[in-house]
Amino acid sequence: MVKSYLQKSLDEWKEDISNFLGEIDKEYEEVAQELKVYSYKYNITKQVIQSTVNEEIIENIRQMYHKPFEESYNQLKEYIRDLEEKRRVFQMFIQKIDEVTRKESAKLNVS
């Protein structure tokens, strides 16, 4: 059976979106790894600060490590939320295209 123009167009669009979704997934994995690193760095510095009594050393650790790690961690958390939203939205495109494809296929099979 020859694919209809509509089906070909939808398949091409789905392929484009799937490729874009693949790029988002790859970026998501990279950011998730980086987030994990900063989570460890942040928690380690927090634990060291809690175990230190010298206020000068504590302040130095906060300035050099803890605050920058916390900022990076929070930025990465926000970025990963944005990527999750993109994934959700583009996955919705694929689901909707599949829905239309099934409906069109059913119409063709009934005719």
Side-chain angles (χ1 to χ4, degrees), residues 60-107:
N60 285 338
I61 291 170
R62 279 194 178 118
Q63 292 303 315
M64 290 172 49
Y65 301 111
H66 193 69
K67 286 180 184 177
F69 291 161
E70 182 179 26
E71 288 172 10
S72 294
Y73 175 75
N74 288 331
Q75 288 171 348
L76 289 168
K77 263 183 23 181
E78 187 63 34
Y79 189 44
I80 212 157
R81 277 190 217 112
D82 291 345
L83 289 172
E84 287 169 346
E85 178 69 5
K86 280 184 183 177
R87 284 167 101 183
R88 188 187 68 74
V89 167
F90 284 95
Q91 189 61 48
M92 202 177 349
F93 268 112
I94 290 173
Q95 290 168 346
K96 297 296 180 186
I97 291 169
D98 286 344
E99 244 177 68
V100 170
T101 299
R102 277 192 301 278
K103 286 177 184 176
E104 285 299 313
S105 254
K107 283 181 187 177

Side-chain angles (χ1 to χ4, degrees), residues 34-43 68-69 72-73 76:
E34 195 67 18
L35 182 62
K36 192 174 193 177
V37 167
Y38 276 97
S39 174
Y40 285 129
K41 287 180 175 184
Y42 173 73
N43 287 320
F69 291 161
S72 294
Y73 175 75
L76 289 168

Side-chain angles (χ1 to χ4, degrees), residues 1-11 104 108:
M1 182 174 115
V2 177
K3 280 188 175 181
S4 70
Y5 175 75
L6 175 63
Q7 187 60 51
K8 286 179 188 176
S9 295
L10 290 174
D11 286 347
E104 285 299 313
L108 289 175

